[in-house]
Amino acid sequence: MPRILIVGGGYAGFYTAWKLEKWLRPGEAEVTVVDPLPYMTYQPFLPEVAAGSIEPRHAIVPLRRHLKKTAIVAAKVTGIDHASKTATITPNIGEPYEFAYDQIVVTAGSVSRTFPIPGVADEAIGLKTIEEAVAIRDRILTNMDKAARLPIGPERDRLLTVVVVGGGFAGIEIFAELRSFVSGLLKQYPEIKFEDTHFHLIEAMGRIMPEVSLPTSLWVIKNLAERGAQIHLDTQLKSAVGGVIELSTGESFESDTIIWTAGVMASPMLKGTDLPIEERGRLQVRPDLRVGTADEIVADAWGAGDVSAVPDLSGGGVGGFCVPNAQHAVRQGRLMAKNIVAALRGEALVEYNHKNAGAVAGLGIGVGAFQSGKIAIKGLPAWFMHRGYHGLAMPTWERKIRVIGNWVFNFVLGRDIASLEARVTPRAAFEAFASRPRPAAEAPAEPAAAAKKPAAKRAPAKKTAEKSLPSPEGAPIVVGGGDPVDTK
């Protein structure tokens, strides 16, 4: 039976495996997904997770629950030798081993791309994983609790200042959602006034959200300014050492929450392969999602999603390639599953061609922005469009129901505002009060006066009439306080 190895369980990898389960005949192929995490993260929901609008576990799709015919391996693929069709798999526990395959699907996704700015690696946090979104939420809530007990001053301002670097869709959405979140929290924190909270977004370009028209982006800036948030355009972050933000404009302030959303790059795992890589570090992929160039095909190798440079036949992609977003990754995963099945059966392949239907962003409760061509919708209608689109785009009905249920409950009951930051050290409370064995008692020291007496003048040891237990043959027997007696 042919073995299909899928590297990565994100959008493209999950959808490829999910549709292969549907379209492969019994016994036609064996599918294995390798990913260190046992779930797919629906990244468009990360801003809402950080803002407390969605329960974190509802924004992920457990692989084992929804891929019932696929082998799931919790591990990393640390090397691919396609010439011999073997992959090096490094499990979360255990030694690396070689895995032989017949077809390989590379959907390893992307990671945050940073620049060597002092302090960023030590102080900032990204927004690519569910864990990062949860950490941001807990940091905001914990800092509100701390600031409520502090007098007005530099430390209080530091705790109540949020900085987002990057004005793309991800940056604007997390920025706007957190502004909405903190504004809503003030009812529970009478010690903190609205003007005490500070939100700064730093963007190196002269505009935000290049996916929408300039008028729409200007409307977003105006809307955020009216809500007490400041956007710094044509501005670069020069340093974040110790949480001290230094901008290229000369401005400086302190922040305890620095979120980096200024770009992504293909997964570094590609460096350990013999597959063709283009200048930006992405896998070279043809329009039919086979690995290769226009002149050469790498047989039995496929790629899709953020890790791959997929040609955009619609003509709308940056540099001629599909932009790295969920909209493309999901559709590429579906098509790739169809093409893999077609290749196994000797049928014709289909090229990927998807024209962007538009862009929609959630900007906090009741505020959104939608752009499709020259059509722009803003405010509450766009917010409903955002939730409707992503609610339906979430894979599986089980996940859709959970997410939509979150929204309904929050509308009725309000968002949960409890910080669980202590989850990072879950054993701390137990360890603080756990009983431990007492240290072994040391033998009493011999009195100094007795130790100074010559051995001959010391009083003889008093013999006791202790009765010993029977001893095995050949073992010494202790009688009273005397020396052992050899039984042999």
Side-chain angles (χ1 to χ4, degrees):
M1 192 188 306
R3 303 177 82 183
I4 302 172
L5 173 63
I6 300 177
V7 182
Y11 297 117
F14 172 78
Y15 270 89
T16 300
W18 199 27
K19 297 306 178 182
L20 283 175
E21 287 193 349
K22 179 179 179 181
W23 295 325
L24 283 173
R25 299 171 185 141
E28 192 170 11
E30 175 186 296
V31 182
T32 300
V33 172
V34 179
D35 195 296
L37 298 174
Y39 51 80
M40 184 212 89
T41 301
Y42 192 74
Q43 292 182 1
F45 281 154
L46 293 183
E48 291 200 58
V49 170
S53 294
I54 295 178
E55 162 65 27
R57 285 186 176 86
H58 298 170
I60 62 175
V61 180
L63 299 181
R64 293 184 184 275
R65 176 164 186 169
H66 296 285
L67 298 179
K68 301 184 184 299
K69 303 175 185 178
T70 302
I72 308 297
V73 179
K76 294 180 180 179
V77 173
T78 52
I80 297 174
D81 183 0
H82 192 62
S84 63
K85 291 192 176 181
T86 58
T88 302
I89 295 180
T90 303
N92 294 342
I93 297 178
E95 296 298 320
Y97 62 92
E98 300 298 313
F99 183 94
Y101 62 81
D102 297 288
Q103 304 263 349
I104 191 164
V105 177
V106 182
T107 54
S110 60
V111 298
S112 295
R113 182 192 63 180
T114 59
F115 306 107
I117 300 171
V120 167
D122 301 314
E123 304 291 341
I125 186 171
L127 191 67
K128 288 289 293 177
T129 68
I130 197 73
E131 293 80 8
E132 289 172 325
V134 173
I136 291 169
R137 174 182 178 274
D138 287 341
R139 173 68 63 87
I140 294 290
L141 290 167
T142 299
N143 285 355
M144 293 286 285
D145 286 332
K146 291 178 181 177
R149 311 315 310 163
L150 288 175
I152 295 175
E155 181 57 26
R156 193 171 189 263
D157 288 342
R158 175 190 176 96
L159 293 172
L160 296 177
T161 299
V162 175
V163 173
V164 175
V165 184
F169 250 64
I172 289 295
E173 285 194 302
I174 185 65
F175 187 63
E177 286 285 356
L178 291 181
R179 175 68 272 184
S180 173
F181 183 39
V182 171
S183 296
L185 286 173
L186 294 176
K187 292 180 290 186
Q188 281 78 35
Y189 291 88
E191 307 91 340
I192 301 174
K193 298 179 181 178
F194 178 84
E195 53 269 23
D196 295 335
T197 60
H198 312 285
F199 280 75
H200 298 269
L201 184 135
I202 303 165
E203 172 52 49
M205 297 176 61
R207 60 163 298 175
I208 61 170
M209 303 173 73
E211 299 89 345
V212 303
S213 68
L214 183 59
T216 300
S217 70
L218 293 175
W219 178 87
V220 173
I221 292 174
K222 180 182 177 183
N223 178 270
L224 288 169
E226 292 171 351
R227 292 157 59 186
Q230 185 175 356
I231 295 179
H232 305 261
L233 298 178
D234 292 314
T235 304
Q236 295 179 348
L237 176 65
K238 305 298 288 185
S239 175
V241 175
V244 179
I245 304 299
E246 295 181 8
L247 304 181
S248 58
T249 57
E251 296 175 79
S252 180
F253 48 88
E254 295 188 34
S255 173
D256 195 54
T257 308
I258 305 169
I259 304 167
W260 181 274
T261 65
V264 297
M265 64 180 183
S267 172
M269 66 80 53
L270 286 179
K271 297 176 182 178
T273 76
D274 58 353
L275 297 172
I277 310 299
E278 47 97 68
E279 61 272 10
R280 293 186 58 186
R282 297 175 297 180
L283 187 66
Q284 287 189 310
V285 175
R286 294 164 56 87
D288 58 12
L289 304 179
R290 286 182 292 180
V291 174
T293 64
D295 302 322
E296 184 179 358
I297 299 172
V298 178
D300 303 326
W302 309 78
D306 293 2
V307 78
S308 301
V310 180
D312 190 343
L313 301 182
S314 72
V318 178
F321 297 101
C322 296
V323 296
N325 62 22
Q327 188 176 150
H328 282 303
V330 168
R331 288 170 172 80
Q332 289 168 9
R334 290 172 179 159
L335 178 64
M336 189 157 55
K338 287 184 178 179
N339 279 350
I340 291 172
V341 173
L344 291 174
R345 298 173 184 172
E347 299 171 358
L349 306 186
V350 178
E351 294 185 339
Y352 179 74
N353 188 349
H354 171 67
K355 183 174 178 58
N356 195 339
V360 61
L363 305 174
I365 300 297
V367 185
F370 169 79
Q371 184 82 47
S372 179
K374 296 182 179 180
I375 300 174
I377 301 174
K378 301 177 280 286
L380 184 61
W383 179 72
F384 278 115
M385 293 173 68
H386 172 267
R387 287 209 160 176
Y389 172 77
H390 286 296
L392 293 176
M394 184 69 179
T396 80
W397 279 104
E398 178 255 340
R399 293 286 120 175
K400 296 181 202 295
I401 292 170
R402 290 182 188 274
V403 168
I404 296 172
N406 271 174
W407 291 334
V408 172
F409 288 135
N410 285 346
F411 178 78
V412 176
L413 305 174
R415 288 184 281 201
D416 198 322
I417 62 169
S419 170
L420 298 178
E421 197 169 39
R423 81 196 184 288
V424 180
T425 54
R427 295 189 66 253
F430 177 80
E431 288 184 87
F433 303 103
S435 298
R436 290 177 170 80
R438 294 183 179 181
E442 297 182 4
E446 193 172 343
K452 291 181 180 179
K453 291 182 181 181
K457 295 183 179 180
R458 290 180 188 171
K462 184 178 180 181
K463 294 185 178 181
T464 58
E466 293 179 354
K467 184 177 180 181
S468 64
L469 294 174
S471 175
E473 185 178 355
I477 300 176
V478 179
V479 182
D483 296 328
V485 177
D486 194 344
T487 58
K488 289 186 180 179

